[in-house]
Amino acid sequence: MTTADKPTEFKVLGSTPLRQDGVDKVTGRAQYGADIRLPGMLYGAVLRSPHAHARIKAIDTRAAEAYPGVRAVVTAQDLPELESKVADLGEGSMNLRYQSNNILARDKVLYFGHAVAAVAAVNAHAAEAAAALIQVEYEVLPPVLDVRQAMRPDAPILLAELRTDELGQKGEQPTNVAAHYLDEAGDLEQGFREADVVVEREFTTAMVHQGYIEPQNATALVTADGQVTIWCSTQGAFGVREQTAEILRLPVSKIRVIPMEIGGGFGGKIGVYLEPLAVLLSRKSGHRPVKLTMSRRDVLAATGPTSGSYIKVKMGANRAGQITAAQATLIYEAGAYPGSPVGSAMGVIFAPYRIPNARVEGYDVVVNKPRTAAYRAPGGTNAAFASETVVDELAEKLGLDPLAFRLQNGVQEGDRRVNGVAYKRIGLLEVLRAAQSSAHYQTPLAGPNRGRGVAAGYWGNYGGKSSASASVNADGTVSLQEGSVDIGGSRTALAMQLAETLGLPIEAVRAAVADTDAVGETEGTYGSRTTFATGWAVYEVGQQLKTQLCERAARLWNVAAEQVQYAAGVFTSGEQRLTFAELAAQLDRLGGPVVASAAVQPKTWGPGFAAHIVDVEVDPETGKVQVLRYTAVQDAGKAVYPNYVASQMQGGAAQGIGWALNEEYVYDAQGRLLNANWLDYRMLVTLDLPMLETVIVEVPNPGHPFGVRGVGEVPIVPPAAAVANALYRAVGVRMAELPMAPGRLVAALQARQG
Amino acid sequence: MSAMTHVQTTLNGEAVEFLCEPRQSLLEVLRETLGLTGAKEGCNNGNCGACNVLIDGALVNACLVLAVEVQGRTLTTIEGIAPPGGLHPLQRQFLEHAALQCGFCTPGFIVAAKALLDRTPRPSELEVRQWLAGNLCRCTGYDRIVRAVLAAAEEAQT
Amino acid sequence: MRAFEYHSPDSLEQTLTLLAGPGQAQPLAGGTDLLPQLREGRRPADRVIDLKRVPELNALTYDPARGLWVGAAVACYRLCHDPAVIQHYPGVVDGAHVIGAVQIQFRATVGGNLCNASPAADSIPALIVHTAVCHIAGPAGARTLPVEAFCVGPGRTALAPGEILVAVSVPPPAPHFGAHYLRFIPRNEMDIAVVGAAAAVTLAADGRSFVAARVALGAVAATPLLVPEAGAYLAGRPVTAETIAEAARLAQAAARPIDDVRGTAAFRRHLSAVLTRRALERAVERARA
Ligand SMILES: Cc1cc2nc3c(=O)[nH]c(=O)nc-3n(C[C@H](O)[C@H](O)[C@H](O)COP(=O)(O)OP(=O)(O)OC[C@H]3O[C@@H](n4cnc5c(N)ncnc54)[C@H](O)[C@@H]3O)c2cc1C
Ligand code: FES
Ligand code: FES
């Protein structure tokens, strides 16, 4: 670990206690969403569209309703019809009417797998059989599957009322282009005139899925008084509550969401799919609990994916190695409804570099594919694949080491992004230097068909609303209730921050994830925000506890509260001395329980930067790529729970390598998804990866009490570009399409041979 | 609903009987009938290993076994891996090595790794990777999982 | 999934009786193909007949004079860990052991791989080049078929209604015989072959020329494909890079691949030659060892 600036001394942060939910998770006891079983519970099934684009002319549910064991059938007619209204979903916003139509198609199905109706029955087999009996009459329409095709004036229109948001103004014509954005800085033409080397390239990337192993699930119970309880696997219980309330037009206070353990999300479990259906089915079946779970096929066909894209990049640099100009056009698939991450992609594309003259344009385009959802640094991997391979080519043309070229142009505090915003203290240069001096980069790579690639990456991170509360127990321990679901050790990272604040050992603090009735509003576990923002809430809770406890000690000692000091678990005032536990044991005599709660909405999140190094070996005859060695270097601000920071870096790298090499949605000409299973949607397996080395750099975020930056997202930004750059070094072809699948690589090699 | 079949097995060391339909998978019966939810459903078609269990010591995907097939057999699930009052070395090392993020794949990996160590007490890294290739983990990139299994093998030897 | 009855007979006779009953009966070996197919409604079943308790289907024997006998319900794990099989039939192991990961290996059978008749089935090309024979039992009695004649289309076999595959027999390897199967998959496990290639060669005692050879491909036609031209070309020719390349070219010419989600026809054609060459090279190495 390398540390920049003044390291702060911590006792708990930076240590590696066992995670508090660990034993439950290694013994099979942890309860994930689908593990729930309630008395009288019914099982649901969802009927999905076999067409990518069709008008629904009629739905006949009679046969399903008559099927033995069926208790309820619902269609879009059971959902309130909603006005267009935009709701913030975190990592992307969503028009609620579209959100409702995505839950159950109303007049049109817009993608293969679009939900059309749902059934609840006494067991899953009956529900599934009944769903298959629902008759839907479709008028099949031509599908639009490619963004550039969708932008043509003669393209079939998906959403009749859609008008382009043209740099803030609404367009007049029906269109598939939901939005057009632009960021500019300096004088682009002048910048290219100053360049001695210019590289211009076009890229395409395929739609990919988050690939969490746990399918979406939701169980709901509506009692006779209309009170709703939802158990589900979600990244954010409050988001589920809000979306369900909006979609079903219910007061938020009528809904309680109990977040179960969650088997991965990566952005894909922020928006709701099943929760409102489970509520409708429970209500319609006479107030029985209803559990809905998706099959893997449904997960791939109808949830999550992130945008495929078309990206054009042009960059110029002078002989001195200075980038003088950069231009990019990014066109992102939104899927069936507006809301691709093209905006955040625009923020990623040139983020690591000081570029005086730049222009970045983005288009959000609807196509007949599933509505896209956030996926880990949404839009970033595609964007960095394009820009970081062009940067690599520039460095090569200038005869410069790729890391040195990046260092020379790398941003630091005070430099401005293309959108004009100036960076605060950031750690890119420290990261690049750590990459240069890493064991990996210092070890030469030899051998035929082998190559080493590097790439840098940026992610802005996020703050948002978080709440927590804690109570002091008589035995000197502290119980923490926090609102962030724990997808990868965050309970423990939060308990650590409370322990640090209180000067207690981690064993004295126990964290629990609270439901929406038990803690203040907390945004989901996304945007690399949990350790940062909920950690801050926890810090505030700790400060309040300390203040209150000092008051109690003051009462005991009969001194003014200001005369009580607290440090390292001990209260003192003059000669008087009490440990935390000794004071806790006396609280009953000193005014009763000590409880504190805090809610924060910090705006001072700090961006994260990463640099990845990869060695590959290519079999030029088959196009197969083996990753030989991989190192991820990243600025974590402060690595609160270092094992789990490293694990985020490794996991992000692994997902990115899979995206680089194999993962893609394959549709036929009718828009039917051909690979909705894990044999054909190829996520990496154990044998595809080496050990993944990590170097954590710590440049504290000045905007957080402990210096924390988010760490979860940036590690997926560089891998595809790093692998592409390594492939080029190995076999001499620059790949411009993701995934760089074996067949494509062989074709590129053959094309080069002519 | 069709006729129920009566099945008797030994499950995690105890005699267990249940009624099931022939079309029900072992995974469905474990989870929905017997309340053993440690085996997870990730794909329901043999692609992910989240549902791994042992039948007479053989590692299988419970989603690809009919529950009626386990008549007279001995089953081990993640719930039966730990010795009474403790943890199996694999469970301990998964925690020590932070070999899980979301933990959804973890039961499947631990059950699979147990089947490996039962046969190959000191596997190489490659052997571990080969044996675990039918288990998907989307969170970790496998590094820590492989290290945990190697460490558990070492722990079990000493 | 539609409801069905389950039977677990313990004799071949009883099995055939159950299969002959009314409605649709589906034999069940490891279930690694059948269960997903039942679930997705791709195979109808009123009755599922579990073959795993039938003694004949569980036999796995090797005899230097008669060769190898693999009961149709023998799991790949057992087959691939049998010392005699490892020693005498490494080419068969090459094909059987890549079927799925280890969880699948404990369940999947070579019999099921044959009867499922996927064009990409991994065990079949190796069995073809080993001149293996399918042993079939049915209402009309027993019969045999060469493995290459067993699959007749994607998902379709030469089995008549009521017939089952009892076993596959593989003749004892001749002196100076070597075989190898390999496939191309984008990952290193858990993938279905984009192309598979098997080769078996019998060399002259000095190891310098081919006495006989067989080449078979997977995933390039409606069924696993024997390429007789390649074998015929090699017989009697010296073992050189050129002869091997020519055999690979003949295999490539015989391939009739299609575009699908796992690969394009052009890529498959390309791989047919590459993999055939590699299969032959390794088979020659084994024959010389
Ligand atoms: C995750 C996964 C990975 C896989 N990977 C591969 C792979 O890499 N390569 C590959 O080739 N396959 C693969 N498969 C497919 C499958 O595992 C193999 O085809 C396997 O050999 C099938 O054997 P089984 O015993 O499970 O067959 P079953 O599913 O039991 O049977 C298959 C079919 O044959 C019929 N049948 C079975 N036995 C007989 C018999 N004796 N007589 C008549 N009919 C019979 C059944 O009714 C059924 O229709 C994979 C499957 C999964 C789930
Ligand atoms: S659920 Fe059984 S292998 Fe995925
Ligand atoms: S820890 Fe989440 S899938 Fe493995």
Side-chain angles (χ1 to χ4, degrees):
Chain A
M1 215 181 287
T2 38
T3 306
D5 297 347
K6 255 175 274 141
T8 319
E9 281 304 316
F10 295 113
K11 289 216 164 62
V12 181
L13 305 193
S15 67
T16 55
L18 297 189
R19 62 192 277 176
Q20 301 194 335
D21 52 341
V23 169
D24 280 351
K25 285 181 177 161
V26 298
T27 55
R29 222 163 254 133
Q31 291 286 294
Y32 293 75
D35 297 341
I36 194 161
R37 250 196 327 168
L38 298 169
M41 189 169 82
L42 301 175
Y43 294 79
V46 175
L47 178 72
R48 296 178 182 278
S49 167
H51 306 294
H53 194 190
R55 208 175 301 286
I56 298 174
K57 308 199 71 170
I59 303 180
D60 183 349
T61 59
R62 282 170 301 182
E65 279 152 15
Y67 192 84
V70 169
R71 297 289 179 270
V73 179
V74 298
T75 67
Q77 298 313 313
D78 295 278
L79 283 168
E81 210 163 333
L82 297 179
E83 302 285 304
S84 287
K85 178 186 157 191
V86 174
D88 190 1
L89 279 192
E91 297 206 284
S93 55
M94 179 89 219
N95 178 311
L96 285 167
R97 185 149 58 91
Y98 293 152
Q99 171 78 324
S100 171
N101 292 348
N102 193 50
I103 301 274
L104 282 177
R106 190 169 284 273
D107 43 8
K108 257 178 137 189
V109 290
L110 293 170
Y111 58 93
F112 174 85
H114 198 158
V116 175
V119 177
V122 292
N123 65 51
H125 298 279
E128 196 190 305
L133 295 175
I134 296 171
Q135 300 292 322
V136 186
E137 196 188 319
Y138 292 106
E139 176 194 339
V140 179
L141 303 168
V144 187
L145 300 168
D146 174 83
V147 281
R148 280 172 291 170
Q149 181 203 347
M151 289 173 87
R152 290 202 199 110
D154 59 345
I157 295 291
L158 271 71
L159 302 165
E161 68 287 357
L162 187 67
R163 300 291 179 271
T164 304
D165 183 339
E166 175 67 38
L167 310 177
Q169 307 269 1
K170 276 281 169 218
E172 315 234 299
Q173 300 299 318
T175 177
N176 292 320
V177 180
H180 174 209
Y181 306 103
L182 176 68
D183 285 337
E184 280 181 298
D187 179 340
L188 191 71
E189 272 160 34
Q190 179 59 27
F192 279 117
R193 273 196 296 275
E194 288 166 14
D196 298 305
V197 181
V198 173
V199 175
E200 182 169 7
R201 295 211 171 253
E202 287 178 69
F203 301 87
T204 55
T205 74
M207 190 168 245
V208 300
H209 196 268
Q210 292 80 349
Y212 38 79
I213 309 298
E214 178 203 36
Q216 260 84 357
N217 58 77
T219 303
L221 173 63
V222 185
T223 49
D225 59 358
Q227 206 62 39
V228 174
T229 309
I230 297 172
W231 297 260
C232 60
S233 299
T234 175
Q235 290 178 242
F238 288 89
V240 170
R241 185 179 71 165
E242 184 192 329
Q243 294 170 65
T244 306
E246 295 270 15
I247 289 163
L248 300 179
R249 290 253 174 88
L250 290 171
V252 164
S253 62
K254 275 219 178 284
I255 303 174
R256 176 180 174 207
V257 178
I258 302 179
M260 307 291 285
E261 298 297 342
I262 168 173
F266 312 112
K269 291 182 184 161
I270 302 171
V272 298
Y273 299 91
L274 299 175
E275 290 82 351
L277 290 182
V279 173
L280 289 180
L281 289 168
S282 174
R283 197 194 271 157
K284 214 171 175 177
S285 62
H287 308 293
R288 291 178 63 170
V290 176
K291 174 157 90 174
L292 284 164
T293 52
M294 283 197 192
S295 66
R296 178 53 46 185
R297 190 180 165 74
D298 293 351
V299 170
L300 287 166
T303 76
T306 190
S307 311
S309 57
Y310 164 85
I311 302 174
K312 196 169 166 180
V313 172
K314 183 178 175 187
M315 294 182 85
N318 62 25
R319 230 163 254 124
Q322 220 73 45
I323 299 174
T324 57
Q327 181 178 11
T329 304
L330 303 94
I331 308 177
Y332 273 52
E333 293 173 336
Y337 300 101
S340 78
V342 70
S344 61
M346 291 168 67
V348 167
I349 193 154
F350 298 129
Y353 308 108
R354 238 178 307 107
I355 304 178
N357 310 296
R359 179 185 165 90
V360 181
E361 256 185 301
Y363 294 90
D364 181 31
V365 180
V366 295
V367 291
N368 289 113
K369 296 183 182 178
R371 181 198 77 186
T372 57
Y375 178 20
R376 203 169 199 166
T381 305
N382 323 28
F385 169 61
S387 55
E388 285 295 303
T389 53
V390 169
V391 166
D392 198 66
E393 203 173 337
L394 277 179
E396 183 207 2
K397 294 218 152 103
L398 291 164
L400 296 170
D401 169 84
L403 281 177
F405 180 61
R406 286 173 169 85
L407 254 176
Q408 186 182 344
N409 290 281
V411 285
Q412 50 187 311
E413 187 169 356
D415 287 335
R416 288 192 185 276
R417 299 161 49 73
V418 179
N419 66 9
V421 176
Y423 284 112
K424 303 226 165 51
R425 184 73 175 95
I426 48 172
L428 173 66
L429 301 185
E430 288 81 352
V431 162
L432 290 171
R433 282 188 206 111
Q436 273 183 324
S437 57
S438 66
H440 185 169
Y441 207 66
Q442 291 298 321
T443 310
L445 173 67
N449 301 312
R450 291 179 169 193
R452 171 170 297 164
V454 300
Y458 155 92
W459 186 248
N461 296 325
Y462 180 56
K465 294 169 276 187
S466 276
S467 308
S469 63
S471 49
V472 178
N473 303 312
D475 62 356
T477 61
V478 178
S479 298
L480 170 64
Q481 301 271 316
E482 48 90 3
S484 289
V485 298
D486 181 353
I487 320 185
S490 59
R491 271 187 193 86
T492 312
L494 295 171
M496 289 168 79
Q497 293 187 74
L498 185 54
E500 185 73 50
T501 311
L502 292 174
L504 297 176
I506 179 63
E507 293 73 24
V509 179
R510 185 83 192 172
V513 177
D515 69 59
T516 55
D517 279 2
V519 72
E521 193 181 342
T522 302
E523 286 183 53
T525 298
Y526 52 68
S528 303
R529 62 176 298 279
T530 298
T531 306
F532 170 80
T534 312
W536 196 325
V538 160
Y539 167 81
E540 294 294 341
V541 164
Q543 298 293 17
Q544 289 181 31
L545 288 180
K546 282 196 287 192
T547 307
Q548 291 187 43
L549 287 167
C550 284
E551 283 162 8
R552 301 299 174 91
R555 193 183 299 186
L556 180 68
W557 291 328
N558 237 329
V559 298
E562 301 78 66
Q563 290 174 295
V564 178
Q565 274 88 46
Y566 179 71
V570 181
F571 296 87
T572 51
S573 181
E575 295 296 285
Q576 313 264 34
R577 189 177 180 285
L578 269 182
T579 65
F580 188 95
E582 285 163 351
L583 180 61
Q586 302 183 51
L587 289 178
D588 279 1
R589 301 197 283 113
L590 298 170
V594 166
V595 178
S597 64
V600 299
Q601 193 177 16
K603 304 266 191 252
T604 50
W605 59 89
F609 285 90
H612 288 196
I613 309 165
V614 59
D615 296 349
V616 301
E617 180 170 316
V618 179
D619 178 340
E621 283 190 320
T622 63
K624 181 132 162 184
V625 176
Q626 194 65 36
V627 176
L628 303 174
R629 186 168 183 183
Y630 202 98
T631 301
V633 185
Q634 185 177 322
D635 173 19
K638 171 66 204 168
V640 170
Y641 198 10
N643 273 347
Y644 284 83
V645 171
S647 186
Q648 287 292 332
M649 293 162 66
Q650 292 167 325
Q655 290 181 2
I657 298 167
W659 192 340
L661 295 177
N662 294 313
E663 292 181 34
E664 70 181 307
Y665 271 37
V666 182
Y667 284 94
D668 68 11
Q670 282 74 47
R672 288 176 298 227
L673 183 60
L674 299 177
N675 60 339
N677 65 71
W678 274 329
L679 270 183
D680 294 319
Y681 183 86
R682 300 180 177 111
M683 312 202 311
L684 298 182
V685 303
T686 47
L687 283 169
D688 299 326
L689 288 164
M691 292 300 186
L692 300 166
E693 296 161 50
T694 56
V695 179
I696 299 173
V697 173
E698 295 188 310
V699 177
N701 170 14
H704 187 272
F706 297 124
V708 169
R709 296 177 195 273
V711 298
E713 291 175 290
V714 71
I716 203 176
V717 177
V723 170
N725 294 337
L727 284 181
Y728 173 71
R729 294 291 184 312
V731 290
V733 292
R734 291 230 174 247
M735 298 299 288
E737 186 174 4
L738 290 184
M740 299 174 277
R744 290 191 183 123
L745 189 50
V746 165
L749 288 167
Q750 286 170 342
R752 192 191 48 174
Q753 284 165 0
Chain B
M1 227 181 293
S2 60
M4 293 292 217
T5 304
H6 178 232
V7 177
Q8 291 176 294
T9 70
T10 305
L11 175 55
N12 296 331
E14 286 175 24
V16 167
E17 33 192 324
F18 58 83
L19 290 175
C20 68
E21 285 187 70
R23 66 175 165 182
Q24 287 187 286
S25 71
L26 176 58
L27 181 62
E28 183 183 346
V29 166
L30 284 173
R31 292 177 51 80
E32 302 291 341
T33 308
L34 300 173
L36 291 181
T37 55
K40 303 296 179 202
E41 180 183 317
C43 68
N44 214 25
N45 61 1
N47 295 171
C48 76
C51 64
N52 285 345
V53 301
L54 307 181
I55 302 182
D56 294 337
L59 178 67
V60 302
N61 301 120
C63 69
L64 290 187
V65 177
L66 296 176
V68 287
E69 290 184 65
V70 303
Q71 168 62 38
R73 313 221 160 237
T74 300
L75 300 182
T76 307
T77 68
I78 182 67
E79 290 89 346
I81 298 277
L87 291 178
H88 187 276
L90 280 161
Q91 294 171 317
R92 202 162 26 246
Q93 294 299 341
F94 265 62
L95 292 179
E96 289 287 350
H97 284 79
L100 51 146
Q101 275 181 34
C102 76
F104 194 77
C105 67
T106 308
F109 271 100
I110 289 177
V111 169
K114 178 174 189 309
L116 169 64
L117 299 189
D118 287 347
R119 286 169 182 75
T120 312
R122 290 306 297 266
S124 66
E125 181 190 335
L126 180 62
E127 285 172 309
V128 172
R129 287 188 185 273
Q130 280 167 337
W131 190 272
L132 297 179
N135 286 68
L136 291 175
C137 174
R138 189 59 158 176
C139 297
T140 64
Y142 305 109
D143 176 308
R144 287 160 189 281
I145 293 174
V146 174
R147 288 181 202 275
V149 174
L150 291 170
E154 200 160 313
E155 181 190 329
Q157 292 293 296
T158 52
Chain C
M1 199 190 322
R2 206 174 109 180
F4 50 77
E5 290 171 17
Y6 170 82
H7 301 274
S8 182
D10 56 12
S11 74
L12 188 54
E13 199 188 343
Q14 218 188 329
T15 305
L16 294 176
T17 311
L18 282 162
L19 280 170
Q24 289 277 355
Q26 298 290 354
L28 167 71
T32 60
D33 280 317
L34 186 63
L35 261 62
Q37 289 166 0
L38 291 173
R39 226 167 248 150
E40 290 161 28
R42 284 190 282 142
R43 280 202 203 255
D46 300 303
R47 276 163 300 128
V48 166
I49 318 294
D50 193 341
L51 305 175
K52 289 191 284 294
R53 294 205 306 141
V54 181
E56 291 87 334
L57 275 71
N58 271 305
L60 175 64
T61 59
Y62 169 71
D63 177 310
R66 276 178 302 167
L68 180 67
W69 178 272
V70 186
V74 170
C76 290
Y77 189 87
R78 186 175 153 210
L79 176 71
C80 297
H81 285 74
D82 184 280
V85 178
I86 293 171
Q87 190 186 341
H88 302 291
Y89 299 94
V92 171
V93 173
D94 292 337
H97 102 273
V98 297
I99 296 174
V102 63
Q103 296 89 324
I104 301 291
Q105 286 277 301
F106 275 114
R107 295 277 294 173
T109 63
V110 166
N113 200 231
L114 274 160
C115 294
N116 188 60
S118 159
D122 282 309
S123 73
I124 304 179
L127 292 170
I128 292 176
V129 298
H130 274 90
T131 52
V133 173
C134 294
H135 298 261
I136 296 165
R143 63 181 179 120
T144 60
L145 263 185
V147 165
E148 59 268 31
F150 188 77
C151 299
V152 298
R156 290 189 299 117
T157 66
L159 291 176
E163 281 189 327
I164 61 164
L165 180 67
V166 174
V168 181
S169 65
V170 193
H176 313 295
F177 173 92
H180 181 51
Y181 171 79
L182 81 169
R183 62 177 184 173
F184 179 77
I185 54 173
R187 289 182 286 188
N188 289 298
E189 184 70 79
M190 294 302 285
D191 258 335
I192 301 301
V194 179
V195 173
V201 301
T202 306
L203 302 184
D206 63 3
R208 300 238 193 124
S209 61
F210 294 102
V211 173
R214 276 164 82 86
V215 168
L217 296 173
V220 298
T223 64
L225 191 68
L226 174 66
V227 187
E229 311 85 282
Y233 167 80
L234 288 174
R237 285 202 158 74
V239 180
T240 65
E242 289 71 31
T243 55
I244 288 176
E246 177 56 15
R249 199 195 58 74
L250 289 167
Q252 181 176 32
R256 299 184 297 277
I258 55 166
D259 283 333
D260 72 11
V261 61
R262 298 188 180 124
T264 62
F267 187 42
R268 288 191 157 115
R269 224 171 278 116
H270 167 81
L271 288 174
S272 301
V274 173
L275 298 189
T276 302
R277 192 196 78 223
R278 291 181 183 183
L280 279 165
E281 287 167 352
R282 181 85 182 102
V284 165
E285 259 173 50
R286 279 184 173 158
R288 284 173 175 166

